Amino acid sequence: MSEAVAIAHDGHSHDGHGHDAGHGHDAGHGHHQLTENNFLGLPNIKLAMWAFLGSECMFFGSLIGTYFFYREMSLGGPMPEDIFDVNITSISTFLLLMSSVTMALAVDNARQRNFGKMRAFILATAAQGAAFVGFQIYEFSHFVAHGLKLSTSLFGSTFYTMTGFHGAHVSVGVIWLVMVALLATQGKLNKDKIAINVEVMGLYWHFVDIVWIIIFTFVYLLEFTR
Amino acid sequence: MASIADFAGAQPPVYHQERESKYGLSDWLTTVDHKKIGILYGISGLAGLAVGGLEALLFRIQLAQPDQHIFVGDQFNGLVTMHATTMVFMAVMPLIAAISNYFVPLMIGARDVAFPRLNAFSYWTFLFGVLLMHSSLIFAEFPAAGWTGYAPLTTKPYGAGGIDFWWAGLAMLAISSMIAGVNFVVTILNMRAPGMTLMRVPVLAWMILVVQFLLAFSFPPVTVGLILLAFDRTFGSVFYETSMGGDPHLWQHLFWLFGHPEVYVLILPSMGIVSEVLPVFSRKPLFGHHAVIFSGIFIGFVGFGVWGHHMFTSGMGPIADAAFAVTTAIIAVPTGVKIFNWLGTLVHAKMRLTTAMLFAVTFIPQFTIGGLSGVMHASPPLDLQQHDSYFVVAHFHYVLVGGALTGLFAGAYFYLPKITGRLLDETLGKIHFWMFIIGFNLTFFPMHLLGNNGMPRRIFTYPADAGWNTENMIGTIGVVFQVVSVLIFFYNMMVSSKKGAVAGSDPWDANTLEWMIPSPPPVHNFDFTPVVLSERPLWDHKYTPGFEITVPAQREEIHMPSYSWRPIIVSGFVLLVLIGLLSHIWALSVVGGVGIVVGVYFWVSEPV
């Protein structure tokens, strides 16, 4: 019973508005007025992103699983060892990994409320992501020129679908980054919520990065261990 | 002894932004209120129940007598495909979503879900998906590959245009369910009233929490399966093309990795409803409260490891067969734990046999029959005999109709008075109950015998000398009973919501927070945020000295999000993308994609 009351008080203090009737209301608290109690120590939006990323794990798990289900089962057409150019893909991989550094710096600057620097790092992240997508478009057209199409073989179907959906996720991330930079410039984002929004965006970006590390390791590098 | 009348003196909170409380068309289209969205889901689910039931009636007429030719071949296949798809995705799931939406925030003492606009987006995406799939009747023909949609049966050479509507509709439902899952996980974990520790969360809310995890994590595999199917049909990829080396196992694995957790998505909420209804009408606490919660969590976890028992006949090999046999046998254990807990709740209880209680009590034996005929199939040799026979049809209907739907009916009689403010008529309710239970058992019990006598699923007719005539005729008569009983239920709902006895806040002398507020609840749900001190906060408030819920002296300040057009518009653009994909008019998809980006931009920049 006493424990329960202690929790109760804890819950109220998290609420931020409490019992102070004269407390000046700040529109930024909008969402949090729906009694967000942070039992897990995570704000709603961050918990939502973690749950969504769990769902995304199953999504990419299924796509990568399909790739491995069909690995070396193609009946014809170019095989991975015929067309992979690991040097070029390493460059784009390096770019994507480095974009995680600029993303982390953007989050750090958002927390310190250096919004100018934050915007610069966000745009730098977006630029590297866009470059990665550019490399992927080049790679796809290069592979098509070498006779690997979506309909050529199981390898073509699984490879393009898996890496294509990863590229789509990077593209969504780039759009998101640009959108946040734009909204921050226009002052449409609540300054108290920028840090958490950028952090959640960072979670997504790092996740997409990690998925690529898995694909690069198990799809590209594995071909060179044989 | 305190009573809930104590709360009557509580003053409503101070609004910083008024939420709409009108009921015009635009209010329904733009609402972000979890209660209104719950009602929308409920109406959609009841409509789905009617459509799915009509489809069942039609093909049962075809099967009533041997050698009939009313619905032949693909017409029959289309009816059974759409019956199953409708009942699973457009009747039972939205009815569950209705209860989750309306009651989860009330049960945990919250003012709304964590992301109200996202919640509206989930509903509209669900509705557009349903309409898209059913529009196949106008633009093509019903998809006829069974609700499991086994590829390559659904690929271009074998599956006609209806399949495109099927995958596109299901893809929208997958998006909707995944987002709703994330939303409710956050809501239940983060929005609980002060003092409501995890073990004090009502069992129904707990089961819904498990279900939301299942939705968020089990839909992606089938989404991938549908994407691969869509690519095969639209862009010429070869995932399911056996002449190119494609393996029919792929779809089965992706589908059942979703499909089996989906079974628990359908049954766990009804288990939660029964766990709420039995204690209230037994006037006892739920026996083994924590065991019921933990067994539900355990079912959620193991539910991801049993999908292979749907594939014993597909030749996965002895090691996979053995592994899935073991996990399937294991998952029966937590289910059995729950059954004993419900029985324990009823021991020495002074039961009040209302219609809700009758349905809840009947849930137990009917679900147990379905569970027992299910765990039989954990044994691969037995499964090989019964696979694709009417025995399996009997099994899953005992679980889904005798279990899930019966539980939802209990929930309807129990919870609808909170929504409408008026009690359902008990006499009509009991007629509904008896007709439904008799009809259900008439239809599905003989199917056990039919299956053991060798009648396969998915045949549109059978010869007169096969020895299946009596059971089939009885089955069709049972369906008529069920249809009439559900019509009585619909009539009861319509009449009672206008003319029924006034329910008041707490008509059942219940346990949980939703019964401390007026029926129907005000827009802001709670005048003050209740502080929860026990597992049965309202019961203890009424009957246990020292556990009263106190009304704070000061009025709370609240800010409710206002209506928004953004969710339905963005959802419409998602629909446009899919229409473009299935009609091969790519411009529509491009417009839809751009529309989504622009819509999201306005969504995030909208002040809430």
Side-chain angles (χ1 to χ4, degrees):
Chain A
M1 165 98 200
S2 58
E3 179 209 74
V5 174
I7 289 167
H9 286 304
D10 201 32
H12 272 302
S13 63
H14 271 292
D15 240 24
H17 56 109
H19 303 288
D20 183 2
H23 173 67
H25 186 70
D26 150 28
H29 274 227
H31 260 330
H32 302 268
Q33 296 292 316
L34 290 172
T35 326
E36 182 180 326
N37 280 313
N38 294 344
F39 271 79
L40 301 185
L42 289 174
N44 280 356
I45 189 165
K46 203 167 168 183
L47 180 59
M49 181 47 74
W50 279 115
F52 172 69
L53 293 183
S55 179
E56 288 279 83
C57 284
M58 296 298 287
F59 182 81
F60 278 108
S62 302
L63 282 172
I64 297 171
T66 301
Y67 180 85
F68 279 96
F69 191 76
Y70 279 156
R71 189 162 174 263
E72 296 179 358
M73 278 171 65
S74 295
L75 299 183
M79 292 296 159
E81 61 269 26
D82 302 333
I83 55 168
F84 278 172
D85 183 347
V86 89
N87 295 326
I88 286 184
T89 316
S90 298
I91 296 171
S92 69
T93 305
F94 179 77
L95 271 179
L96 194 64
L97 294 188
M98 286 305 106
S99 75
S100 264
V101 176
T102 49
M103 187 71 239
L105 289 170
V107 173
D108 194 47
N109 280 294
R111 284 196 187 128
Q112 293 175 24
R113 302 173 78 93
N114 298 332
F115 295 124
K117 269 181 146 183
M118 175 199 80
R119 196 162 52 237
F121 280 121
I122 287 179
L123 289 174
T125 312
Q128 291 169 89
F132 175 85
V133 176
F135 268 101
Q136 193 172 36
I137 292 169
Y138 167 76
E139 187 186 43
F140 277 19
S141 51
H142 176 76
F143 287 177
V144 170
H146 280 72
L148 184 74
K149 296 198 186 108
L150 189 69
S151 53
T152 304
S153 63
L154 290 175
F155 169 61
S157 294
T158 51
F159 174 80
Y160 284 124
T161 307
M162 172 182 63
T163 52
F165 268 95
H166 177 265
H169 276 73
V170 176
S171 307
V172 167
V174 170
I175 293 171
W176 189 358
L177 288 158
V178 171
M179 206 183 267
V180 167
L182 214 60
L183 286 164
T185 313
Q186 296 171 340
K188 277 192 179 169
L189 285 184
N190 185 310
K191 290 214 163 27
D192 297 324
K193 290 210 276 182
I194 285 185
I196 182 70
N197 281 328
V198 173
E199 195 185 338
V200 165
M201 183 168 67
L203 282 177
Y204 173 84
W205 191 259
H206 297 315
F207 170 81
V208 172
D209 230 17
I210 290 168
V211 170
W212 183 253
I213 292 174
I214 292 169
I215 292 178
F216 183 66
T217 309
F218 288 102
V219 174
Y220 288 82
L221 295 184
L222 207 66
E223 298 301 333
F224 293 87
T225 58
R226 288 184 300 167
Chain B
M1 189 188 90
S3 81
I4 60 163
D6 301 345
F7 304 132
Q11 287 187 295
V14 182
Y15 274 104
H16 287 289
Q17 181 178 342
E18 191 76 44
R19 170 175 273 185
E20 85 283 12
S21 54
K22 295 191 291 279
Y23 292 92
L25 177 64
S26 70
D27 298 302
W28 285 108
L29 295 178
T30 59
T31 187
V32 295
D33 182 345
H34 71 97
K35 297 185 289 296
K36 281 187 178 174
I37 293 172
I39 292 171
L40 288 172
Y41 268 117
I43 294 169
S44 315
L46 291 170
L49 191 67
V51 172
L54 179 69
E55 284 154 355
L57 183 64
L58 292 179
F59 67 71
R60 278 315 311 180
I61 291 171
Q62 160 65 24
L63 287 171
Q65 287 175 304
D67 297 318
Q68 294 202 108
H69 289 82
I70 308 167
F71 300 103
V72 178
D74 269 353
Q75 282 181 328
F76 180 88
N77 293 344
L79 283 175
V80 288
T81 302
M82 286 310 287
H83 163 70
T85 311
T86 306
M87 284 302 196
V88 170
F89 295 105
M90 304 163 201
V92 175
M93 280 181 74
L95 289 174
I96 291 165
I99 288 187
S100 312
N101 267 281
Y102 204 100
F103 287 99
V104 161
L106 299 182
M107 277 189 284
I108 63 172
R111 297 203 192 279
D112 207 322
V113 296
F115 304 102
R117 287 181 300 168
L118 218 47
N119 197 25
F121 175 79
S122 286
Y123 173 73
W124 295 113
T125 308
F126 152 81
L127 185 70
F128 292 156
V130 169
L131 295 178
L132 181 61
M133 196 187 294
H134 275 87
S135 67
S136 64
L137 190 59
I138 305 168
F139 298 111
E141 65 291 310
F142 268 176
W147 87 281
T148 50
Y150 275 14
L153 188 59
T154 43
T155 55
K156 206 117 204 190
Y158 312 106
I163 300 291
D164 286 322
F165 290 84
W166 182 80
W167 71 251
L170 271 188
M172 289 199 79
L173 300 188
I175 295 169
S176 157
S177 298
M178 191 271 285
I179 290 175
V182 169
N183 199 349
F184 276 85
V185 163
V186 177
T187 303
I188 300 174
L189 289 178
N190 254 17
M191 309 273 288
R192 287 167 283 153
M196 182 170 277
T197 58
L198 281 175
M199 281 301 124
R200 289 179 189 163
V201 171
V203 177
L204 175 54
W206 248 116
M207 293 307 115
I208 288 171
L209 175 63
V210 174
V211 164
Q212 305 311 322
F213 274 110
L214 292 176
L215 286 177
F217 296 158
S218 76
F219 257 100
V222 80
T223 307
V224 167
L226 290 166
I227 287 170
L228 306 187
L229 177 65
F231 275 31
D232 270 14
R233 293 182 64 90
T234 315
F235 304 124
S237 61
V238 295
F239 291 103
Y240 304 119
E241 181 55 57
T242 43
S243 65
M244 301 288 278
D247 186 339
H249 282 100
L250 176 66
W251 169 268
Q252 295 192 29
H253 280 297
L254 291 173
F255 181 82
W256 287 116
L257 183 49
F258 148 79
H260 203 84
E262 170 72 14
V263 173
Y264 297 108
V265 167
L266 300 174
I267 192 67
L268 280 172
S270 287
M271 290 177 163
I273 291 168
V274 169
S275 306
E276 297 293 333
V277 172
L278 290 180
V280 167
F281 294 110
S282 304
R283 309 179 67 80
K284 284 175 67 185
L286 181 64
F287 183 85
H289 181 100
H290 292 191
V292 176
I293 293 173
F294 279 113
S295 57
I297 299 171
F298 188 76
I299 288 174
F301 275 106
V302 184
F304 277 100
V306 300
W307 79 90
H309 67 222
H310 296 271
M311 300 166 57
F312 282 148
T313 56
S314 71
M316 290 185 297
I319 294 175
D321 282 2
F324 284 116
V326 170
T327 52
T328 306
I330 286 173
I331 206 165
V333 176
T335 316
V337 168
K338 279 185 189 300
I339 290 169
F340 283 112
N341 280 311
W342 295 322
L343 294 178
T345 308
L346 295 175
V347 172
H348 297 309
K350 287 179 185 159
M351 279 187 259
R352 289 179 290 165
L353 288 176
T354 59
T355 309
M357 183 64 166
L358 287 174
F359 273 112
V361 171
T362 314
F363 170 94
I364 304 172
Q366 289 187 161
F367 174 75
T368 306
I369 293 173
L372 288 175
S373 60
V375 76
M376 282 180 199
H377 298 127
S379 158
L382 197 61
D383 183 85
L384 293 184
Q385 292 299 312
Q386 291 168 338
H387 187 91
D388 253 348
S389 78
Y390 261 83
F391 191 88
V392 177
V393 180
H395 154 64
F396 64 70
H397 280 91
Y398 262 85
V399 177
L400 295 180
V401 183
L405 192 59
T406 303
L408 285 168
F409 280 139
Y413 284 89
F414 189 64
Y415 286 117
L416 265 174
K418 178 55 66 184
I419 299 175
T420 63
R422 289 174 187 274
L423 297 172
L424 287 158
D425 186 84
E426 282 289 310
T427 313
L428 285 175
K430 278 170 186 158
I431 297 171
H432 167 211
F433 168 78
W434 285 111
M435 283 197 70
F436 181 76
I437 296 305
I438 291 170
F440 161 73
N441 284 290
L442 273 182
T443 303
F444 294 107
F445 195 82
M447 285 188 188
H448 291 110
L449 310 174
L450 276 179
N452 280 347
N453 290 337
M455 181 164 169
R457 286 169 80 178
R458 296 178 169 141
I459 51 168
F460 68 82
T461 193
Y462 50 91
D465 58 1
W468 303 330
N469 301 0
T470 322
E471 290 93 336
N472 273 306
M473 183 46 104
I474 293 175
T476 302
I477 293 169
V479 171
V480 175
F481 269 71
Q482 293 178 68
V483 168
V484 173
S485 79
V486 172
L487 289 176
I488 292 172
F489 171 60
F490 284 178
Y491 172 78
N492 192 359
M493 274 194 298
M494 281 188 279
V495 172
S496 299
S497 66
K498 298 252 161 34
K499 296 179 184 157
V502 174
S505 319
D506 184 19
W508 314 120
D509 198 8
N511 298 335
T512 39
L513 292 177
E514 70 268 30
W515 303 103
M516 70 179 267
I517 54 176
S519 315
V523 177
H524 55 267
N525 293 354
F526 294 89
D527 283 346
F528 61 94
T529 306
V531 176
V532 176
L533 302 175
S534 69
E535 283 168 4
R536 296 193 293 169
L538 190 61
W539 177 274
D540 287 331
H541 168 82
K542 290 179 285 192
Y543 299 110
T544 315
F547 281 82
E548 289 86 1
I549 299 171
T550 49
V551 181
Q554 252 150 345
R555 296 170 72 184
E556 282 183 26
E557 293 179 54
I558 58 165
H559 172 103
M560 302 299 282
S562 193
Y563 70 90
S564 172
W565 282 101
R566 270 78 164 172
I568 189 171
I569 290 172
V570 175
S571 185
F573 282 123
V574 175
L575 177 66
L576 202 58
V577 170
L578 285 165
I579 290 176
L581 283 178
L582 67 81
S583 64
H584 296 207
I585 305 171
W586 312 122
L588 287 180
S589 296
V590 174
V591 171
V594 173
I596 292 173
V597 174
V598 175
V600 168
Y601 178 84
F602 282 106
W603 180 318
V604 293
S605 51
E606 178 182 43
V608 282

